Amino acid sequence: MGSNRSSFTGKIGFVLAAAGSAVGLGNIWRFPYLAAKYGGGIFLLVYIVLSVTFGFALMVAEIAIGRKTQLSAISAYGSLDKRFSFVGVLGALVPVIILPYYSVIGGWVMKYMVGFAAGHTSQMAEDSYFGNYLGLTWEPVLWFLLFIGITAVVVMLGVEKGVEKVSKVMMPILIGLILVIVIYTLVTMDGAWDGVVYYLKPDFSKFSMMTVVAAMGQLFYSMSLAMGIMITFGSYIKKDISIEKSVKQIEIFDTGVAFLAGLMIIPAVFAFSGGNEEALGQGPGLMFVTLPKIFEAMPGGAFIGAAFFVMVLFAALTSSISLMETVVSIFMDKLKWGRKLSTLAVLGTSLVLGLCSSLGYSVWAEVRIIGMQLLDFFDFFSNSLLMPVVALATAIFIGYVLKPKTVIEEVELSGPFKQKKLFAVVIRYVAPACILVILISSILTAFGVFKI
Ligand code: TRP
């Protein structure tokens, strides 16, 4: 089965492909709103600490399992130990849940791209614009349909490579634009530096269990962990590629982009609202409310705004394509369906769940599941419940069944594994303990004991 797997060309090919899947709306849309909501500096600190310990160990483990078994996640766990087949199945469920609401946000991005291109900058900069737009009911649904439609066509035709190539060109431009926006905000806007302090200086009084829950969920989400995707990537890489180095590069790149996105949004929120808590705690709409205000203030803002959202759109599309491809290939492998039929099936489930997420802001605005709007609920369910369960099972599996040695040996095929002690300790003790606490907090949150 393993013999005809395609493989990445060269070392940098793998890192770029993994980084391309990792960098997306998670970095640009999700990270800043969580950092704003959960205390700024303290969130950033917790995130970075988790990323170099926990994220590092989990990503190394997943890639090593993939390379060792030469299988995709859903089969990899079962092939190593029958009792752990369920982990592959749960992991496979994650992209099924993420893809629909990811595409709803992708639709928002398209709408904003077109809005700036049409020069509607000042309307879009109004406080009520985003909320009113969501309330329009059908327009956001149409943009969602377009976004998921493009994703499905690309997956069905199997032309991901083309999009990836474009996206590689867009990535540096995106980073350049983010830098321009950061510098412009910091230089010209009153109050922006208070935002920098809020973002960079940890305020320990703002620490709560929810900070850790949110940071860990974000880590899984942003680095595409705990859903089998890195296992599949691992199955494509050659034995002489250093897993440890690659993981470090992917982490630095992914965290770097998220960090800059936070620096682009949070100071601007302070400048426009005087740092008021309500503006910081807005949630998923934060970027869509804040950025238009910056673009309105900037010379040439409509053009920069349109260009910015084009780049974000490409980053989002590479991620949504890879999310859909993951699910489609599972259908193809497991059910032996053809590519077309599998894509249509995935499209079908995504339409239903995506429609719920989008309408959750308009006709179903009153609907709450465990106190959350529908989109937030799907996000919470996958990131704060399913992914921790998958990660916990993975840590126990590697730490106690396979033993860390198995992963270490796989990593050492390409040279010494410098942080193998850290790896073993994290995967056996730190990760299971942390995730267990996280899971309990998430469950208590779901039952309303903690406030989100
Ligand atoms: N990491 C992506 C982002 O930050 C989102 C994502 C989660 C993803 N899981 C994935 C992308 C699986 C591709 C494949 O936006």
Side-chain angles (χ1 to χ4, degrees):
M1 189 165 175
S3 57
N4 58 358
R5 299 193 84 78
S6 59
S7 59
F8 291 113
T9 40
K11 296 190 176 148
I12 198 71
F14 162 59
V15 173
L16 282 180
S21 138
V23 174
L25 293 174
N27 309 61
I28 295 152
W29 154 74
R30 202 171 186 276
F31 183 87
Y33 96 66
L34 290 176
K37 186 168 170 180
Y38 293 106
I42 190 72
F43 180 85
L44 186 64
L45 180 69
V46 172
Y47 184 82
I48 291 174
V49 170
L50 285 177
S51 138
V52 294
T53 51
F54 186 81
F56 169 77
L58 201 59
M59 198 185 286
V60 166
E62 289 196 7
I63 294 176
I65 295 185
R67 189 166 76 175
K68 188 176 171 61
T69 59
Q70 292 286 298
L71 292 169
S72 61
I74 202 159
S75 323
Y77 286 98
S79 87
L80 292 166
D81 190 318
K82 279 264 161 305
R83 290 168 301 169
F84 282 80
S85 316
F86 79 96
V87 188
V89 178
L90 283 186
L93 241 156
V94 173
V96 176
I97 297 174
I98 294 184
L99 175 65
Y101 80 81
Y102 200 86
S103 304
V104 171
I105 320 275
W108 299 351
V109 169
M110 286 179 128
K111 160 77 186 174
Y112 272 63
M113 175 185 86
V114 171
F116 282 110
H120 299 158
T121 319
S122 51
Q123 288 108 292
M124 296 168 85
E126 280 166 26
D127 272 329
S128 54
Y129 183 87
F130 183 67
N132 290 342
Y133 167 65
L134 289 184
L136 289 179
T137 312
W138 295 110
E139 199 186 329
V141 168
L142 283 178
W143 287 113
F144 153 68
L145 292 177
L146 188 60
F147 185 92
I148 191 113
I150 296 175
T151 307
V153 168
V154 172
V155 172
M156 203 179 279
L157 299 178
V159 291
E160 294 90 323
K161 290 276 173 298
V163 180
E164 268 164 32
K165 275 204 191 103
V166 183
S167 157
K168 264 175 217 163
V169 181
M170 299 285 193
M171 200 73 84
I173 308 179
L174 174 63
I175 296 172
L177 279 178
I178 296 179
L179 283 174
V180 169
I181 300 168
V182 169
I183 294 169
Y184 180 80
T185 314
L186 296 185
V187 172
T188 66
M189 290 182 190
D190 287 340
W193 286 98
D194 293 338
V196 176
V197 173
Y198 176 78
Y199 183 44
L200 297 184
K201 194 170 159 222
D203 174 352
F204 288 88
S205 71
K206 292 209 162 68
F207 180 87
S208 77
M209 240 6 252
M210 272 319 283
T211 321
V212 189
V213 173
M216 188 169 281
Q218 173 61 14
L219 186 71
F220 295 141
Y221 188 96
S222 188
M223 304 208 175
S224 316
L225 293 171
M227 62 185 83
I229 186 105
M230 286 296 159
I231 298 186
T232 309
F233 269 127
S235 74
Y236 296 147
I237 63 171
K238 302 215 173 76
K239 299 281 182 194
D240 61 348
I241 287 187
S242 162
I243 295 181
E244 187 178 22
K245 258 197 220 133
S246 307
V247 167
K248 283 192 180 147
Q249 286 165 352
I250 298 166
E251 280 198 313
I252 291 173
F253 190 65
D254 189 71
T255 309
V257 176
F259 173 78
L260 285 179
L263 204 55
M264 165 176 80
I265 303 226
I266 295 176
V269 175
F270 269 74
F272 290 115
S273 72
N276 111 25
E277 294 274 325
E278 220 168 289
L280 284 170
Q282 263 177 37
L286 188 66
M287 151 176 148
F288 296 91
V289 175
T290 311
L291 283 174
K293 294 181 202 262
I294 311 181
F295 294 134
E296 195 200 19
M298 250 178 161
F303 176 75
I304 298 183
F308 175 83
F309 278 102
V310 173
M311 310 303 149
V312 175
L313 179 62
F314 269 89
L317 275 174
T318 44
S319 290
S320 68
I321 290 165
S322 146
L323 279 163
M324 189 181 267
E325 178 69 34
T326 311
V327 189
V328 166
S329 60
I330 291 169
F331 274 52
M332 289 168 62
D333 274 4
K334 287 283 145 184
L335 304 174
K336 306 277 175 263
W337 290 0
R339 175 168 281 272
K340 278 219 175 78
L341 184 60
S342 306
T343 312
L344 287 177
V346 177
L347 184 62
T349 53
S350 303
L351 288 180
V352 175
L353 293 180
L355 214 62
C356 294
S357 304
S358 191
L359 295 180
Y361 287 107
S362 50
V363 270
W364 292 334
E366 303 304 317
V367 178
R368 290 281 187 281
I369 305 183
I370 52 170
M372 295 174 211
Q373 286 188 299
L374 291 169
L375 190 146
D376 284 317
F377 169 73
F378 290 128
D379 190 69
F380 176 83
F381 184 71
S382 56
N383 295 289
S384 303
L385 290 174
L386 266 184
M387 292 191 205
V389 172
V390 173
L392 177 62
T394 306
I396 293 176
F397 180 53
I398 309 267
Y400 299 93
V401 182
L402 267 192
K403 303 277 189 290
K405 204 172 79 182
T406 319
V407 167
I408 292 171
E409 280 168 5
E410 181 66 35
V411 174
E412 284 182 336
L413 289 178
S414 67
F417 184 177
K418 287 195 205 121
Q419 291 187 308
K420 64 177 169 199
K421 286 231 172 66
L422 174 82
F423 169 79
V425 171
V426 170
I427 213 82
R428 287 189 80 129
Y429 309 107
V430 183
C434 284
I435 307 172
L436 209 60
V437 176
I438 297 287
L439 258 180
I440 293 170
S441 317
S442 293
I443 292 166
L444 291 178
T445 309
F447 286 105
V449 180
F450 286 162
K451 244 188 94 48
I452 315 153

